[in-house]
Amino acid sequence: MPQATISLHDKQFAPYLPARQIADSIRELAVRLNQDYAGRQPLFVAVLNGSFMFASDLLKELSIPCEVAFIRVSSYQGTSSTGQVQEIMGLTEDVQGRDLIIVEDIVDTGHTMQALLATLNARNPASLAVATLFLKPECLQHELDIRYVGMEIPNDFIVGFGLDYDGLGRNYPDVYKAV
């Protein structure tokens, strides 16, 4: 059962999505990925820091042979996107001719995802897909083909399950929204 409210820095957050609902959504995504990538060996590219919990739980649900790698990018400061993507820690694996699946915690404006897709497409993968736990369709500022979406949510600022507010809140198993 989620805590009633939590305080992070100068904001209050109320319960929004319980861990059980998140787990159900991840299992549904894994079923689709297992079907779509049967007979293949994709490389999952988890975007740090936010996707670590999602990536971990998703990979545990997969029955296909797969690999995982990590990339760290940033476009957030506080509660809003800066609009500028900075690659902090790059992908070292050779991805040419590989099936890649980007694992992201949340896609809102799409700035980060658009830059990441362009960077990875330039490395000539066999295929490139996105799996995101959360999508904020009303925030999107780019046309993106996001094939695997756990949940579409409104434009609320959320924390928990890997998502943070200036470094705090990632550790909560449930998701909370700012009030």
Side-chain angles (χ1 to χ4, degrees):
M1 188 72 169
Q3 291 177 238
T5 61
I6 57 173
S7 296
L8 302 173
H9 298 296
D10 59 342
K11 296 199 177 301
Q12 297 292 312
F13 295 84
Y16 182 52
L17 298 166
R20 180 128 183 112
Q21 185 177 351
I22 296 166
D24 290 344
S25 181
I26 291 170
R27 273 191 291 281
E28 290 173 18
L29 283 175
V31 166
R32 290 184 51 213
L33 287 161
N34 283 328
Q35 291 170 349
D36 292 354
Y37 288 87
R40 294 153 73 184
Q41 186 175 315
L43 172 63
F44 287 85
V45 180
V47 181
L48 296 175
N49 286 338
S51 77
F52 78 98
M53 288 178 92
F54 172 44
S56 174
D57 286 1
L58 179 65
L59 289 166
K60 286 184 266 186
E61 295 291 332
L62 294 174
S63 59
I64 55 173
C66 62
E67 296 176 55
V68 65
F70 299 92
I71 189 167
R72 185 170 180 186
V73 295
S74 178
S75 66
Y76 260 77
Q77 186 170 11
T79 62
S80 59
S81 176
T82 63
Q84 295 184 331
V85 177
Q86 301 170 346
E87 185 174 337
I88 299 169
M89 181 175 72
L91 185 65
T92 58
E93 285 78 2
D94 181 10
V95 300
Q96 185 170 348
R98 304 273 321 260
D99 293 310
L100 302 183
I101 301 164
I102 300 171
V103 180
E104 179 66 292
D105 56 348
I106 190 165
V107 176
D108 45 32
T109 62
H111 295 317
T112 301
M113 190 53 59
Q114 182 186 42
L116 194 49
L117 287 166
T119 298
L120 292 175
N121 263 322
R123 296 183 182 189
N124 300 314
S127 68
L128 183 56
V130 176
T132 186
L133 183 55
F134 301 112
L135 175 65
K136 293 181 177 180
E138 64 191 64
C139 292
L140 276 177
Q141 296 177 20
H142 303 276
E143 257 188 64
L144 299 171
D145 178 20
I146 302 177
R147 196 170 309 149
Y148 304 98
V149 176
M151 292 180 237
E152 288 189 3
I153 61 171
N155 189 20
D156 295 316
F157 185 69
I158 60 174
V159 297
F161 203 78
L163 292 107
D164 74 306
Y165 173 37
D166 279 346
L168 296 180
R170 292 188 195 280
N171 57 306
Y172 294 103
D174 304 291
V175 170
Y176 294 79
K177 69 177 178 177
V179 291

